[in-house]
Amino acid sequence: MSRDVISDEVWAVIGPLFPAPKATGRPPVDARTVVEATVWRFRTGAPWRDVPERFGNWNTLYKNFNRWSHAGVWAAVLEQVQSHAHQAGDLDWVASIDSTIVRVHQHGATLPRATGAGSNYKKYGPEPPDHAIGRSRGGLTTKNHLVCDGKGRALAFVLTGGQVADTSLLSETLSQIRVPGAAGRPRTRPDRVIADKGYPSKANRAWLRAHGIAATIPERADQIAHRRKRRGRPIDFGDEQRRRYRGRNVVERCFNELKKWRGIAMRSDKTARSYHSALCLAATLAWLNARFSNTA
C-alpha cells in the first residue's frame, strides 16, 4: 500500500469531519481522494500540477484543498482529533513550546507582501499582509511557533516571519490552544509549560502566573547576573525543575515528525493559510498514527 493512502481506521475518524458534497451541480470529488492527494503533495513537496493522474485533475484537487483552507476545515479536523484524545484521557497537559525556521522556496515568495507588517497567522482567517514570510540570516524564511503536549503531539502553532523573536510569541501561541471536551467550554490552558532560554522574559512569567500555568523556564546567564545585583527571590530552578526540563525534547521530536514531509520542511506555498493547513493535516495524521500504533 502506498504511503499516501489513508487507512480505513484513520478515515473512519476524520472522514465524517469533512463537508458533505452538495446535492446539486457537478458530481463531487471524493473527499478521501482529495485528502490522499494533499498528503502526497505535501509529503513529496511537489507542485500541485505534478500530482499523479490517479488522483484526478490537479486543479480540481487544489480548489478543494484551498476552499477547505478558507473555511477552516483542516484546523477543525485537527481540533476534533485532539478532542478525541482529550476525552479518552490520552492528552498530556504538560506542554512544551519552541519554534523552528523553514526556508521559503522561490516559488512561495512571488506574492507582494508588506514588509514589517507584524501580522501573525494563527488559525483560519484573513491572510496576513506579510504572508508570514520574513528575512533572517537564512534568507526568506517562515518561523513556526509551536506548542505540543507531553507526548510530542502538536496542540497549536502560529506562523510568523523568520525574524520574529521567540519570546514575543509565547502568550499568543499558548492562546491558540483550544481542545473541546465532551461538554462545557473547550480547554485552553495546559497545567505546565516547559520552554528553553529563548522565553524567560518578565512579561512571559507574569502572563503564565496570571493564567494559572506553572512554568519550567531556565534563566539566561545575563538575567542571573542582573538578579544578583538586586534584592528579591531568585527563580526556582532546582533539581525538580531540572528533572522536568529534560522532558522539553518532545517539542523537538514533534518538529522532526512534521518535517518528514518535504512540503513542510521547505515552504513552497504562497499563502500562510495554505502552509498552515498543511501543518494541520500533518499534525492530524501524527496524532492518529500514534493512537492506532498504541492500540495495535
Side-chain angles (χ1 to χ4, degrees):
M1 181 179 290
S2 176
R3 290 192 305 152
D4 51 85
V5 175
I6 303 294
S7 68
D8 291 338
E9 54 187 2
V10 169
W11 187 249
V13 176
I14 66 174
L17 303 176
F18 287 92
K22 294 181 179 180
T24 59
R26 293 182 179 180
V29 178
D30 179 52
R32 185 168 179 174
T33 300
V34 175
V35 175
E36 290 181 348
T38 304
V39 171
W40 185 93
R41 190 262 167 173
F42 283 102
R43 270 186 172 159
T44 62
W48 280 101
R49 290 177 182 270
D50 293 337
V51 173
E53 292 182 1
R54 70 176 184 270
F55 293 115
N57 181 274
W58 71 267
N59 194 34
T60 301
L61 297 168
Y62 168 73
K63 286 180 178 178
N64 278 272
F65 164 78
N66 192 47
R67 183 171 67 250
W68 292 347
S69 295
H70 276 274
V73 173
W74 302 103
V77 169
L78 173 59
E79 188 176 283
Q80 286 303 310
V81 170
Q82 294 169 346
S83 177
H84 293 164
H86 178 40
Q87 294 176 51
D90 184 45
L91 205 159
D92 187 337
W93 285 101
V94 177
S96 295
I97 187 172
D98 206 348
S99 70
T100 186
I101 287 286
V102 178
R103 291 290 299 273
V104 179
H105 191 272
Q106 60 184 354
H107 295 167
T110 59
L111 294 179
R113 61 187 186 278
T115 57
S119 298
N120 305 322
Y121 193 81
K122 307 164 188 177
K123 290 188 178 179
Y124 54 92
E127 176 72 12
D130 62 352
H131 306 298
I133 296 176
R135 188 173 292 279
S136 62
R137 285 184 294 180
L140 291 179
T141 53
T142 290
K143 183 175 279 192
N144 177 11
H145 305 262
L146 180 145
V147 56
C148 71
D149 81 330
K151 297 181 181 180
R153 300 165 300 186
L155 290 172
F157 25 78
V158 172
L159 301 180
T160 69
Q163 78 284 357
V164 176
D166 292 355
T167 188
S168 63
L169 266 293
L170 180 138
S171 60
E172 193 162 353
T173 304
L174 293 177
S175 297
Q176 298 308 303
I177 298 175
R178 185 182 183 278
V179 181
R185 295 180 179 179
R187 179 160 180 177
T188 59
R189 301 177 187 176
D191 295 326
R192 177 176 293 273
V193 169
I194 306 175
D196 64 14
K197 294 183 180 180
Y199 294 90
S201 70
K202 184 177 180 181
N204 284 343
R205 294 187 189 275
W207 187 90
L208 291 170
R209 282 195 300 270
H211 288 78
I213 303 173
T216 298
I217 308 175
E219 286 188 298
R220 297 191 303 271
D222 61 320
Q223 292 176 323
I224 295 174
H226 291 157
R227 186 177 292 280
R228 286 172 179 167
K229 299 177 183 179
R230 304 193 306 270
R231 294 182 178 181
R233 184 171 59 184
I235 297 297
D236 174 29
F237 207 80
D239 293 340
E240 183 64 22
Q241 288 284 60
R242 291 189 183 94
R243 182 190 63 78
R244 293 193 184 104
Y245 188 71
R246 295 191 191 106
R248 196 196 67 85
N249 64 80
V250 295
V251 71
E252 305 297 346
R253 299 206 299 267
C254 182
F255 285 135
N256 182 61
E257 188 67 24
L258 293 175
K259 285 189 172 184
K260 288 180 181 178
W261 292 27
R262 294 187 179 186
I264 289 177
M266 175 173 282
R267 173 180 165 180
S268 59
D269 294 272
K270 294 179 175 63
T271 64
R273 183 186 302 107
S274 293
Y275 186 70
H276 189 278
S277 297
L279 284 169
C280 289
L281 176 57
T284 296
L285 295 184
W287 275 89
L288 292 175
N289 290 338
R291 169 181 167 181
F292 291 119
S293 63
N294 290 337
T295 58

